[in-house]
PDB file of all heavy atoms in Angstrom:
ATOM      1  N   GLU A  43       0.802   4.462 -20.885  1.00 92.00           N
ATOM      2  CA  GLU A  43       1.935   3.854 -20.169  1.00 92.00           C
ATOM      3  C   GLU A  43       3.148   4.791 -20.190  1.00 92.00           C
ATOM      4  O   GLU A  43       3.488   5.333 -21.240  1.00 92.00           O
ATOM      5  CB  GLU A  43       2.334   2.542 -20.865  1.00 92.00           C
ATOM      6  CG  GLU A  43       1.189   1.614 -21.168  1.00 92.00           C
ATOM      7  CD  GLU A  43       0.662   0.895 -19.945  1.00 92.00           C
ATOM      8  OE1 GLU A  43       1.483   0.502 -19.106  1.00 92.00           O
ATOM      9  OE2 GLU A  43      -0.559   0.734 -19.832  1.00 92.00           O
ATOM     10  N   LYS A  47       3.019   9.587 -14.768  1.00 98.00           N
ATOM     11  CA  LYS A  47       1.992   9.776 -13.735  1.00 98.00           C
ATOM     12  C   LYS A  47       2.572   9.605 -12.331  1.00 98.00           C
ATOM     13  O   LYS A  47       2.372  10.458 -11.461  1.00 98.00           O
ATOM     14  CB  LYS A  47       0.836   8.770 -13.928  1.00 98.00           C
ATOM     15  CG  LYS A  47       0.081   8.943 -15.224  1.00 98.00           C
ATOM     16  CD  LYS A  47      -0.974   7.871 -15.426  1.00 98.00           C
ATOM     17  CE  LYS A  47      -0.424   6.475 -15.509  1.00 98.00           C
ATOM     18  NZ  LYS A  47       0.539   6.240 -16.606  1.00 98.00           N
ATOM     19  N   SER A  48       3.268   8.480 -12.095  1.00 97.00           N
ATOM     20  CA  SER A  48       3.760   8.203 -10.731  1.00 97.00           C
ATOM     21  C   SER A  48       4.697   9.308 -10.264  1.00 97.00           C
ATOM     22  O   SER A  48       4.620   9.760  -9.113  1.00 97.00           O
ATOM     23  CB  SER A  48       4.517   6.867 -10.692  1.00 97.00           C
ATOM     24  OG  SER A  48       3.757   5.872 -11.311  1.00 97.00           O
ATOM     25  N   THR A  49       5.563   9.765 -11.176  1.00 97.00           N
ATOM     26  CA  THR A  49       6.510  10.834 -10.840  1.00 97.00           C
ATOM     27  C   THR A  49       5.752  12.084 -10.395  1.00 97.00           C
ATOM     28  O   THR A  49       6.088  12.717  -9.391  1.00 97.00           O
ATOM     29  CB  THR A  49       7.360  11.171 -12.100  1.00 97.00           C
ATOM     30  OG1 THR A  49       7.965   9.969 -12.578  1.00 97.00           O
ATOM     31  CG2 THR A  49       8.406  12.215 -11.816  1.00 97.00           C
ATOM     32  N   ARG A 127      -4.026   6.671 -11.425  1.00 98.00           N
ATOM     33  CA  ARG A 127      -5.084   5.961 -12.151  1.00 98.00           C
ATOM     34  C   ARG A 127      -6.320   5.765 -11.265  1.00 98.00           C
ATOM     35  O   ARG A 127      -6.220   5.629 -10.048  1.00 98.00           O
ATOM     36  CB  ARG A 127      -4.659   4.579 -12.669  1.00 98.00           C
ATOM     37  CG  ARG A 127      -3.533   4.618 -13.699  1.00 98.00           C
ATOM     38  CD  ARG A 127      -3.429   3.272 -14.401  1.00 98.00           C
ATOM     39  NE  ARG A 127      -2.365   3.259 -15.381  1.00 98.00           N
ATOM     40  CZ  ARG A 127      -2.450   3.776 -16.606  1.00 98.00           C
ATOM     41  NH1 ARG A 127      -3.571   4.340 -16.977  1.00 98.00           N
ATOM     42  NH2 ARG A 127      -1.441   3.727 -17.436  1.00 98.00           N
ATOM     43  N   THR A 132     -10.341   2.266 -16.528  1.00 98.00           N
ATOM     44  CA  THR A 132     -11.244   1.191 -16.972  1.00 98.00           C
ATOM     45  C   THR A 132     -12.020   1.638 -18.212  1.00 98.00           C
ATOM     46  O   THR A 132     -12.180   0.879 -19.171  1.00 98.00           O
ATOM     47  CB  THR A 132     -12.223   0.793 -15.849  1.00 98.00           C
ATOM     48  OG1 THR A 132     -11.460   0.453 -14.693  1.00 98.00           O
ATOM     49  CG2 THR A 132     -13.071  -0.418 -16.245  1.00 98.00           C
ATOM     50  N   GLN A 226       7.301  17.182 -21.672  1.00 96.00           N
ATOM     51  CA  GLN A 226       8.098  18.285 -21.147  1.00 96.00           C
ATOM     52  C   GLN A 226       8.870  17.753 -19.939  1.00 96.00           C
ATOM     53  O   GLN A 226       8.587  16.672 -19.443  1.00 96.00           O
ATOM     54  CB  GLN A 226       7.251  19.494 -20.755  1.00 96.00           C
ATOM     55  CG  GLN A 226       5.786  19.253 -20.545  1.00 96.00           C
ATOM     56  CD  GLN A 226       4.991  20.552 -20.331  1.00 96.00           C
ATOM     57  OE1 GLN A 226       5.518  21.657 -20.374  1.00 96.00           O
ATOM     58  NE2 GLN A 226       3.720  20.416 -20.062  1.00 96.00           N
TER      59      GLN A 226
HETATM   60  N1  LIG B 322      -5.304  -0.656 -15.971  1.00 95.23           N
HETATM   61  C1  LIG B 322      -5.417   0.009 -14.792  1.00 95.23           C
HETATM   62  C2  LIG B 322      -6.433  -1.032 -16.692  1.00 95.23           C
HETATM   63  O1  LIG B 322      -6.329  -1.644 -17.757  1.00 95.23           O
HETATM   64  N2  LIG B 322      -7.678  -0.736 -16.178  1.00 95.23           N
HETATM   65  C3  LIG B 322      -7.824  -0.079 -14.984  1.00 95.23           C
HETATM   66  O2  LIG B 322      -8.979   0.183 -14.555  1.00 95.23           O
HETATM   67  C4  LIG B 322      -6.644   0.311 -14.264  1.00 95.23           C
HETATM   68  C5  LIG B 322      -6.777   1.064 -12.967  1.00 95.23           C
HETATM   69  C6  LIG B 322      -1.299  -0.540 -14.388  1.00 95.23           C
HETATM   70  C7  LIG B 322      -1.827  -1.166 -15.645  1.00 95.23           C
HETATM   71  O3  LIG B 322      -3.183  -1.521 -15.452  1.00 95.23           O
HETATM   72  C8  LIG B 322      -3.965  -0.991 -16.492  1.00 95.23           C
HETATM   73  C9  LIG B 322      -3.202   0.213 -16.980  1.00 95.23           C
HETATM   74  C10 LIG B 322      -1.763  -0.204 -16.805  1.00 95.23           C
HETATM   75  O4  LIG B 322      -1.349  -0.884 -17.967  1.00 95.23           O
HETATM   76  P1  LIG B 322       1.077   0.441 -13.913  1.00 95.23           P
HETATM   77  O5  LIG B 322       2.376  -0.221 -13.621  1.00 95.23           O
HETATM   78  O6  LIG B 322       0.472   1.228 -12.825  1.00 95.23           O
HETATM   79  O7  LIG B 322       0.081  -0.657 -14.435  1.00 95.23           O
HETATM   80  O8  LIG B 322       1.276   1.226 -15.284  1.00 95.23           O
HETATM   81  P2  LIG B 322       1.455   2.747 -15.562  1.00 95.23           P
HETATM   82  O9  LIG B 322       0.370   3.480 -14.882  1.00 95.23           O
HETATM   83  O10 LIG B 322       1.544   2.957 -17.014  1.00 95.23           O
HETATM   84  O11 LIG B 322       2.806   3.092 -14.835  1.00 95.23           O
HETATM   85  P3  LIG B 322       4.208   3.430 -15.392  1.00 95.23           P
HETATM   86  O12 LIG B 322       5.099   3.442 -14.196  1.00 95.23           O
HETATM   87  O13 LIG B 322       4.574   2.578 -16.546  1.00 95.23           O
HETATM   88  O14 LIG B 322       4.070   4.897 -15.965  1.00 95.23           O
HETATM   89  P4  LIG B 322       3.914   6.310 -15.288  1.00 95.23           P
HETATM   90  O15 LIG B 322       3.548   6.227 -13.866  1.00 95.23           O
HETATM   91  O16 LIG B 322       3.029   7.105 -16.167  1.00 95.23           O
HETATM   92  O17 LIG B 322       5.375   6.924 -15.452  1.00 95.23           O
HETATM   93  P5  LIG B 322       6.551   7.130 -14.389  1.00 95.23           P
HETATM   94  O18 LIG B 322       6.313   8.324 -13.577  1.00 95.23           O
HETATM   95  O19 LIG B 322       6.776   5.838 -13.697  1.00 95.23           O
HETATM   96  O20 LIG B 322       7.726   7.459 -15.405  1.00 95.23           O
HETATM   97  C11 LIG B 322       8.174   6.522 -16.383  1.00 95.23           C
HETATM   98  C12 LIG B 322       9.673   6.783 -16.687  1.00 95.23           C
HETATM   99  O21 LIG B 322       9.845   8.057 -17.293  1.00 95.23           O
HETATM  100  C13 LIG B 322      10.642   8.911 -16.466  1.00 95.23           C
HETATM  101  C14 LIG B 322      10.625   8.286 -15.081  1.00 95.23           C
HETATM  102  O22 LIG B 322      11.774   8.578 -14.352  1.00 95.23           O
HETATM  103  C15 LIG B 322      10.514   6.804 -15.413  1.00 95.23           C
HETATM  104  O23 LIG B 322      11.760   6.280 -15.740  1.00 95.23           O
HETATM  105  N3  LIG B 322       9.972  10.208 -16.511  1.00 95.23           N
HETATM  106  C16 LIG B 322      10.371  11.215 -17.299  1.00 95.23           C
HETATM  107  N4  LIG B 322      11.398  11.342 -18.165  1.00 95.23           N
HETATM  108  C17 LIG B 322      11.496  12.515 -18.842  1.00 95.23           C
HETATM  109  N5  LIG B 322      10.617  13.567 -18.685  1.00 95.23           N
HETATM  110  C18 LIG B 322       9.589  13.480 -17.816  1.00 95.23           C
HETATM  111  N6  LIG B 322       8.710  14.501 -17.674  1.00 95.23           N
HETATM  112  C19 LIG B 322       9.427  12.256 -17.085  1.00 95.23           C
HETATM  113  N7  LIG B 322       8.511  11.840 -16.175  1.00 95.23           N
HETATM  114  C20 LIG B 322       8.862  10.584 -15.843  1.00 95.23           C
END
Side-chain angles (χ1 to χ4, degrees):
E43 312 285 321
K47 297 176 298 300
S48 311
T49 306
R127 297 194 180 280
T132 305
Q226 19 187 2

